[in-house]
Amino acid sequence: MRTRINRRETLKAGAVAAAALAGAPGWTFQNEADDGLLITADSMFDGHRFVENAAVLVRKGKVVRSGPARSVRDASARRLAMGSATITPGMIDLHVHATQGHVPFDRILAHGVTTIRDLGGDLRPTHEGPGRLRYVGAGPLVTVQDGYPTPVWGTGLSAVIKGPASARATVARLVDQGAAIIKMALEPGGEAGAPWSGEHASTPPPWPLPSIEEARAVVQEAHRRGRKVTAHVGEEQGVRIALAAGVDEWAHSPSALVPEELLKEAARKGVRMISTLDTESHTEGALRNARIFVSHGGRLLYGTDMAHPEIPHGFDSQELSLMMHVGLTLEQALAGATSLAGEQLGLAPLGTLRPGAPADLIVAAGDIRQGHGGVKNLEYPLLVMTGGRLVVTPDTTRSPQTPAH
Ligand SMILES: [Zn+2]
Ligand SMILES: [Zn+2]
């Protein structure tokens, strides 16, 4: 039996949380999100652009509508007024090692990231669900005998191939076991300052690389099975093999300087580059390569290498700032962590607040375009929802009108 509550009443965030905490029988946040929850805030980034005085209506795990508050009305929905805050889609990190690094999924969720793509770790099937972190993974890296990542991370992260036939069979096995994407190692090692440069390696660089024939076989088999291939590239040799083999994506901006014509070719061919600029900020090439790639129209997407020691377990605003440093606008950088990332996963409209999108969203304090925290506030959201279920509820002790300091 549901407790009757006046549905036209506008609940302030604190009151909603208090009601939920009070445990009113039959009434929880979840009932409201299933029946219809209208969240309003002074600003919103919808995956593509900012909207002022905005609202998003969610029901049964999906976004029903979003836009200027005056255009998003629903008399039957409970209202949650967040005031001086910014609604955004949940952030998507396209490069993490959460299973390998034992990063708690709940911690990642609490800090604004609602989808992760694990590029090197346990091979486990894609999972999602209301209130859960959305997970897709690559499993181990396709590599050759004694190739990266074996000298740095041991054999547990390597799927070793020997010749094109073995490459095809390995890709087929990984896909059957649940790999949502194939990651191939094209890394001879030795780039100064790179987290994988080989300083603590069991065998010193240079490490062997797959041949172009092997790399082509990996890409062909992955594509035949509906999977993209992302390549771990750190320098010119690996980049040349990736371009020749038709790899879809580079899992990093290369850490060593790469000739401009190769970055231009990658941009022209529509290769996507995952940023990982924060963890690579000590390298000679990462920022410079990304800047040239972007200047030629290349698409740079958000990924952090989460589980590397300097990366927070959740959203990394420093990564976003570095993406802007190499030439993206704030909107473009945010799109790289939301709508364009959802597209890259093949899960669009995930990463947007368009009708029908999964209700994965966060609310950060204040206007994230301004001071008082700015994009840093995305690391400590006031509210986090996945699949329509609230996993971080607004703080009862704080007025929703007052941003966190
Ligand atoms: Zn990598
Ligand atoms: Zn990585």
Side-chain angles (χ1 to χ4, degrees):
M1 195 59 171
R2 289 176 56 91
T3 304
R4 300 296 306 172
I5 294 174
N6 177 4
R7 296 190 152 276
R8 286 174 184 280
E9 172 196 1
T10 296
L11 277 188
K12 292 297 183 193
V16 172
L21 290 171
W27 191 90
T28 64
F29 271 118
Q30 201 46 48
N31 292 132
E32 295 306 315
D34 284 348
D35 292 352
L37 182 64
L38 183 71
I39 305 170
T40 62
D42 291 354
S43 56
M44 174 171 83
F45 177 77
D46 65 6
H48 301 279
R49 60 192 69 78
F50 280 92
V51 177
E52 315 306 326
N53 299 317
V56 56
L57 175 66
V58 305
R59 182 175 283 125
K60 296 197 190 313
K62 303 273 189 200
V63 174
V64 179
R65 246 187 337 274
S66 71
R70 64 180 181 283
S71 69
V72 185
R73 289 167 198 267
D74 189 314
S76 71
R78 168 71 57 191
R79 282 177 58 108
L80 180 55
M82 297 299 296
S84 171
T86 307
I87 305 168
T88 76
M91 297 295 151
I92 299 172
D93 191 330
L94 292 172
H95 190 149
V96 309
H97 298 281
T99 57
Q100 165 83 0
H102 305 292
V103 183
F105 282 13
D106 288 351
R107 187 188 295 163
I108 298 172
L109 256 186
H111 294 284
V113 173
T114 54
T115 300
I116 58 170
R117 190 179 65 173
D118 199 294
L119 290 187
D122 299 350
L123 186 54
R124 52 171 88 174
T126 297
H127 73 73
E128 59 185 46
R132 296 173 75 183
L133 182 69
R134 208 175 287 275
Y135 172 95
V136 303
L141 279 68
V142 174
T143 187
V144 291
Q145 185 70 40
D146 301 322
Y148 181 82
T150 304
V152 181
W153 303 104
T155 52
L157 278 182
S158 299
V160 175
I161 60 170
K162 196 173 183 185
S166 146
R168 283 192 200 91
T170 300
V171 169
R173 176 175 57 81
L174 293 174
V175 171
D176 287 345
Q177 290 174 350
I181 183 162
I182 298 298
K183 186 177 183 188
M184 176 162 48
L186 299 174
E187 173 60 84
E191 304 105 56
W196 47 79
S197 60
E199 280 158 36
H200 307 288
S202 56
T203 54
W207 306 313
L209 297 173
S211 66
I212 289 179
E213 291 67 35
E214 287 169 323
R216 278 202 184 118
V218 167
V219 173
Q220 282 166 2
E221 186 64 21
H223 287 179
R224 210 167 69 76
R225 290 172 174 268
R227 298 297 188 278
K228 291 191 174 81
V229 176
T230 187
H232 174 114
V233 288
E235 47 64 75
E236 178 175 347
Q237 251 186 298
V239 159
R240 287 190 183 277
I241 297 171
L243 286 169
V247 161
D248 305 283
E249 177 191 294
W250 298 353
H252 306 276
S253 175
S255 350
L257 299 174
V258 168
E260 174 157 6
E261 73 262 22
L262 298 182
L263 296 161
K264 190 173 168 182
E265 182 183 340
R268 184 170 49 75
K269 286 182 167 169
V271 173
R272 310 308 197 209
M273 183 190 281
I274 311 302
S275 54
T276 70
L277 297 171
D278 189 1
T279 192
E280 289 195 79
S281 56
H282 303 297
T283 67
E284 188 179 16
L287 289 167
R288 173 266 192 193
N289 292 332
R291 185 178 293 116
I292 292 174
F293 177 74
V294 165
S295 76
H296 288 292
R299 184 174 284 183
L300 183 68
L301 302 170
Y302 174 89
T304 63
D305 245 329
M306 187 195 299
H308 282 203
E310 62 280 76
I311 304 300
H313 294 171
F315 188 67
D316 182 11
S317 63
Q318 181 66 14
E319 188 71 43
L320 199 76
S321 300
L322 290 169
M323 291 168 80
M324 292 159 67
H325 187 68
V326 299
L328 300 188
T329 64
L330 174 60
E331 285 85 349
Q332 288 169 333
L334 282 170
T338 56
S339 59
L340 299 179
E343 239 173 63
Q344 186 67 1
L345 292 172
L347 297 175
L350 179 74
T352 74
L353 299 176
R354 289 212 306 266
D360 288 16
L361 60 89
I362 66 176
V363 180
D367 183 338
I368 60 168
R369 292 165 290 186
Q370 318 256 326
H372 298 296
V375 291
K376 189 84 181 164
N377 287 346
L378 293 167
E379 297 184 1
Y380 306 95
L382 306 174
L383 178 155
V384 177
M385 171 185 279
T386 69
R389 180 163 303 168
L390 284 158
V391 289
V392 172
T393 54
D395 190 340
T396 53
T397 61
R398 188 182 291 141
S399 155
Q401 304 300 331
T402 311
H405 290 293

